[in-house]
């Protein structure tokens, strides 16, 4: 190699020397001094004849059957084009996981150099709080936790000094069994919850049970009293009824390093923001941010919305959506340099549970998530309201009905974007006469008269459902009639023919199928007026929860957005 060739080799980024071997489908590190000659026709560096892998005479020998030079030249571009297409398809195959959700997608990129990245991964026990890990043929639930822990240089101005790290940003990522859709459900850090007792593995291998707490902020499920991510897992299960398969934890550095690794993330603001607390100073409009500026963006809250944590959640969802689109873009997928940087950043910034403690497992998870189309990934926030126990609310509590409705949709693998399709499929299976009970005019909630009986639901269910109907659904002409004469398996609504309008309206509120509606006779309520009878069966799931989960719709006021759209923060 001449001096010029050596100079060019020395200027090559080592990351760009990871080459796909078309025979094995794996990436290999090929340094300039030992890289084999490329089989793809094109310019080559001059090398001494003895070092050639293919003897020169065989390459130059002409035979009577050899095509004329012009014909050979015409064939070369076709060969080169075919080779390029094959290599591109294999790159997309091996990096398919980068189409997945944010941090998890980057795990797949780590497959480029397995052993080195395995050493980067830090893991913690799940302490039996998980399902045992995701399954390829089942729906997937991953708990993503962002902490306020400060590690690394440049983080002295953020978070609580000396904090062990609390659950500052938490998302429950649900991916459907058929991989057609997903929901990223944000859980507010200031939500009042009950944290259960938490068995935790200690450094010496022993188990310590950390006592639970009632009526405390959700963010105390991590860090407080020595709680680990497995305690946050248990709290999420207690809150939602959904048991996570795995967890992943990231601190402030993850936002900075990941945003820089992809060359910046595009965000949008509907107004100028200058927040001295988060150090964010951006003008109205679109911006590309990374590093410290990206961290300031996801931390700011005083200058957006109502100035609280719920407003900040919207910013974080916008950032994660944009980061996901950047990961999925071709300029990221086909760049070995970016892929290596992403793999380094992710494995150094993340802590995972012991079921995800190597690149191979992360790759498998990433490939499953990579099957998802961004337009069917919904970012949503648990429905909450100001805590009525506080004169000046700083915490929030669940909106019981809508929140349980959302939890039930996740638990039953119901999409927030594909619901109409599933409703149609279900209606096709129903008898036409039964389905027709739901069709027609509907009364206003205030016009509905119904008495509620407990026919096999848990104790107190009739009272709790009555509270929901009166306070949240607007069905004020309702009353508790005690227990039914006998238990029933499924909830029913009995009504007279002239009450059909009321029955259809109540069925919509409760999520009742046509089969649950029983045309019959009305009864007399405590005011002597004709009323319908709602009997709660063993299928009753809770106050305000849709009884037919497969036909459930997301609450109308649910804060949500899809990952394929850019919405400017207000």
């Amino acid at each position: 190699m001449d001096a010029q060739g050596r100079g060019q080799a020395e200027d090559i980024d080592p990351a760009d020397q990871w080459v796909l071997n078309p025979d094995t489908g794996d990436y290999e590190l090929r340094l300039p001094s030992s890289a084999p000659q490329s089989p793809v026709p094109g310019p080559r560096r001059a090398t001494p004849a003895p070092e050639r892998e293919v003897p020169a005479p065989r390459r130059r020998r002409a035979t009577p059957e050899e095509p004329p030079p012009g014909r050979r030249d015409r064939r070369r571009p076709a060969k080169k084009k075919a080779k390029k297409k094959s290599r591109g398809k294999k790159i997309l195959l091996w990096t398919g996981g980068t189409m997945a959700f944010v941090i998890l997608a980057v795990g797949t990129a780590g497959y480029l150099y397995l052993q080195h990245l395995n050493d980067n991964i830090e893991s913690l026990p799940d302490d039996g709080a998980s399902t045992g890990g995701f399954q390829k043929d089942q729906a997937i639930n991953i708990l993503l936790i962002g902490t306020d822990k400060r590690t690394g240089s440049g983080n002295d101005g953020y978070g609580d000094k000396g904090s062990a790290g609390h659950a500052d940003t938490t998302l429950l990522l649900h991916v459907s069994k058929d991989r057609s859709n997903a929901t990223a459900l944000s859980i507010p850090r200031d939500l009042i919850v009950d944290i259960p007792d938490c068995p935790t593995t200690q450094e010496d291998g022993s188990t310590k049970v950390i006592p639970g707490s009632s009526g405390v902020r959700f963010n105390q499920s991590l860090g407080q009293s020595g709680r680990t991510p497995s305690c946050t897992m248990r709290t999420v299960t207690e809150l939602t009824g959904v048991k996570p398969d795995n967890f992943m934890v990231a601190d402030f550095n993850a936002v900075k390093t990941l945003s820089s690794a992809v060359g910046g993330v595009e965000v949008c603001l509907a107004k100028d923001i200058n927040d001295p607390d988060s150090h964010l100073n951006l003008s109205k409009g679109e911006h590309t941010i990374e590093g410290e500026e990206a961290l300031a963006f996801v931390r700011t809250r005083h200058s957006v919305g109502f100035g609280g944590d719920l407003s900040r959640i919207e910013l974080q969802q916008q950032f994660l959506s944009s980061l996901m689109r950047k990961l999925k873009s071709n300029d990221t997928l086909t760049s070995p340099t970016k892929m290596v940087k992403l793999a380094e950043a992710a494995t150094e910034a993340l802590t995972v549970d012991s079921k995800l403690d190597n690149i191979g497992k992360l790759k498998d998870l990433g490939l499953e998530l990579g099957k998802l189309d961004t337009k069917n990934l919904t970012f949503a926030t648990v429905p909450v309201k100001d805590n009525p126990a506080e004169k000046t609310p700083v915490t929030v509590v669940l909106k019981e009905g809508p929140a349980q409705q959302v939890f039930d949709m996740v638990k039953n693998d119901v999409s927030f974007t594909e619901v109409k399709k599933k409703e149609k499929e279900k209606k096709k299976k129903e008898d036409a006469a039964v389905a027709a009970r739901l069709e027609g005019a509907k009364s206003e909630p205030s016009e509905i008269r119904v008495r509620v009986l407990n026919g096999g639901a848990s104790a107190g269910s009739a009272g709790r459902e009555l509270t929901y109907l009166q306070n949240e659904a607007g069905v004020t002409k309702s009353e508790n009639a005690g227990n039914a004469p006998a238990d029933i398996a499924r909830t029913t609504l009995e009504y007279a023919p002239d009450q059909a309008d009321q029955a259809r309206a109540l069925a919509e509120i409760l999520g009742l199928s046509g089969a649950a509606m029983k045309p019959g006779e009305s009864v007399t309520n405590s005011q002597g007026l004709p009323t319908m009878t709602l009997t709660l069966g063993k299928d009753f799931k809770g106050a305000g929860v849709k009884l037919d989960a497969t036909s459930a719709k997301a609450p109308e006021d649910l804060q949500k957005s899809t990952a394929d759209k850019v919405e400017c923060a207000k």
Side-chain angles (χ1 to χ4, degrees):
M1 182 181 295
D2 57 24
Q4 182 180 359
R6 287 193 302 270
Q8 291 173 345
E10 291 170 356
D11 292 337
I12 298 176
D13 189 322
D16 289 325
Q17 297 175 45
W18 287 93
V19 180
L20 181 71
N21 185 328
D23 296 324
T24 66
D26 292 334
Y27 281 89
E28 300 173 356
L29 180 62
R30 299 186 182 180
L31 299 176
S33 60
S34 60
Q37 295 296 323
S38 169
V40 182
R44 301 179 181 274
R45 297 188 181 93
T47 56
E51 296 180 2
R52 290 179 180 169
E53 295 181 3
V54 181
R58 291 182 62 185
R59 292 163 59 113
R60 297 178 180 177
R61 183 173 57 194
T63 65
E65 293 80 13
E66 183 179 4
R71 185 180 301 171
R72 183 170 63 248
D73 290 343
R74 285 195 297 270
R75 285 202 307 264
R76 282 180 178 174
K79 183 178 181 182
K80 183 175 183 179
K81 182 177 180 180
K83 190 69 175 180
K84 181 177 180 181
K85 181 179 179 181
S86 174
R87 182 175 186 272
K89 288 176 68 176
K90 289 200 174 187
I91 288 175
L92 289 174
L93 172 65
W94 287 112
T95 61
T98 58
M99 298 180 190
F101 178 68
V102 195
I103 303 170
L104 299 178
V106 182
T108 302
Y111 196 64
L112 296 176
Y113 51 126
L114 185 78
Q115 190 55 51
H116 165 68
L117 297 181
N118 275 335
D119 294 338
N120 285 352
I121 298 174
E122 181 179 350
S123 66
L124 290 172
D126 69 351
D127 298 316
S130 76
T131 62
F134 79 95
Q135 301 294 321
K136 292 183 179 180
D137 59 347
Q138 298 295 325
I140 297 174
N141 294 293
I142 306 295
L143 189 63
L144 305 174
I145 308 171
T147 76
D148 56 5
K149 184 177 181 179
R150 301 184 301 179
T151 60
S153 60
N155 289 327
D156 292 340
Y158 306 117
D160 297 327
K161 188 173 183 180
S163 170
H166 295 86
D168 199 49
T169 301
T170 305
L171 295 98
L172 178 61
L173 174 66
H174 171 81
V175 183
S176 67
K177 182 177 180 179
D178 62 7
R179 309 297 185 252
S180 67
N181 62 86
T183 302
L185 185 64
S186 292
I187 302 174
R189 68 170 192 176
D190 296 327
L191 174 63
I192 296 300
V193 298
D194 292 335
I195 300 175
D197 292 346
C198 182
T200 306
T201 302
Q202 305 299 297
E203 292 184 2
D204 61 2
S206 63
T207 299
K208 174 184 177 183
V209 177
I210 301 174
S213 303
S214 298
V216 297
R217 296 189 189 199
F218 176 84
N219 71 340
Q220 293 184 22
S221 65
L222 178 65
Q224 198 84 5
S225 304
R227 294 185 177 113
T228 65
S230 68
C231 298
T232 306
M233 262 190 167
R234 295 183 192 277
T235 305
V236 168
T237 302
E238 181 88 2
L239 175 70
T240 67
V242 179
K243 193 171 188 177
D245 299 308
N246 301 95
F247 69 72
M248 302 186 78
V249 183
D251 58 23
F252 286 159
N253 272 338
V255 175
K256 296 196 293 186
T257 56
L258 289 174
S259 60
S260 296
V262 297
V265 173
E266 290 73 31
V267 297
C268 182
L269 296 176
K271 62 180 181 181
D272 296 344
I273 289 183
N274 186 359
D275 183 1
D277 292 322
S278 68
H279 312 302
L280 180 67
N281 188 357
L282 287 177
S283 59
K284 174 182 177 181
E286 297 181 355
H287 299 271
T288 298
I289 60 175
E290 63 177 279
E292 293 287 346
E293 197 168 40
L295 178 58
F297 182 85
V298 299
R299 291 189 67 252
T300 193
R301 58 173 172 154
H302 298 299
S303 301
V304 291
F306 295 103
D309 187 54
L310 296 179
S311 299
R312 176 165 59 183
I313 285 176
E314 294 184 43
L315 283 178
Q316 293 168 346
Q317 291 175 348
Q318 181 194 151
F319 177 84
L320 293 174
S321 296
S322 183
L323 179 55
M324 178 180 160
R325 291 192 298 272
K326 192 65 175 286
L327 288 167
K328 185 178 177 180
S329 65
N330 286 334
D331 64 335
T332 299
L333 288 174
T334 58
S335 170
T337 301
K338 286 186 178 180
M339 296 299 283
V340 169
K341 289 179 179 178
L342 283 168
E344 291 284 356
T347 53
E348 289 180 356
L350 296 177
T351 299
V352 300
D353 69 85
S354 52
K355 305 297 190 299
L356 284 178
D357 60 357
N358 65 64
I359 289 297
K361 294 176 181 178
L362 287 170
K363 179 207 61 144
D364 290 342
L365 177 58
L367 289 174
E368 288 300 308
L369 301 176
K371 299 172 183 177
L372 177 69
D373 190 329
T374 55
K375 69 181 181 180
N376 289 330
L377 168 59
T378 302
F379 283 91
T381 303
V382 173
V384 296
K385 59 185 179 182
D386 288 340
N387 188 350
E390 298 173 343
K391 291 183 179 179
T392 305
V394 293
T395 61
V396 293
V397 296
L398 290 179
K399 284 184 179 178
E400 289 292 344
Q404 291 301 325
Q405 184 177 335
V406 169
F407 298 154
D408 203 52
M409 289 178 70
V410 173
K411 185 166 56 177
N412 288 283
D413 199 20
V414 178
S415 170
F416 285 72
T417 57
E418 301 263 329
V419 173
K420 291 183 179 179
K421 178 180 178 181
K422 292 190 176 184
E423 284 180 339
K424 291 179 181 178
E425 292 175 351
K426 182 173 179 60
K427 285 181 180 179
K428 288 180 182 179
K429 299 178 182 179
E430 290 184 334
D431 180 82
V434 172
R437 296 172 187 170
L438 298 171
E439 302 298 329
K442 299 180 179 68
S443 301
E444 292 296 323
S446 60
E447 298 174 357
I448 298 172
R449 290 192 300 272
V450 63
R451 64 174 190 157
V452 184
L453 297 176
N454 191 333
S458 61
S461 292
R464 289 190 290 271
E465 182 71 350
L466 181 66
T467 300
Y468 164 73
L469 289 173
Q470 293 181 342
N471 296 342
E472 298 194 37
V475 184
T476 55
K477 297 176 182 177
S478 52
E479 61 184 34
N480 187 347
N483 293 326
D487 290 351
I488 57 176
R490 301 184 66 82
T491 298
T492 62
L493 175 63
E494 185 175 1
Y495 57 98
D498 61 351
Q499 295 172 318
D501 291 4
Q502 296 182 45
R504 284 190 286 266
L506 187 59
E508 183 176 61
I509 292 172
L510 300 178
L512 290 175
S513 66
M517 299 173 65
K518 303 297 182 183
E521 298 180 355
S522 65
V523 295
T524 302
N525 67 8
S526 58
Q527 283 79 42
L529 299 172
T531 184
M532 301 182 294
T533 301
L534 174 67
T535 306
L536 305 179
K538 295 179 181 179
D539 63 334
F540 182 74
K541 302 179 180 68
V545 180
K546 296 288 186 180
L547 285 156
D548 185 5
T550 58
S551 65
K553 294 182 180 179
E556 292 184 2
D557 59 349
L558 179 69
Q559 177 184 311
K560 66 186 183 74
S561 61
T562 51
D564 62 328
K565 298 178 182 178
V566 178
E567 298 183 8
C568 296
K570 299 179 181 180

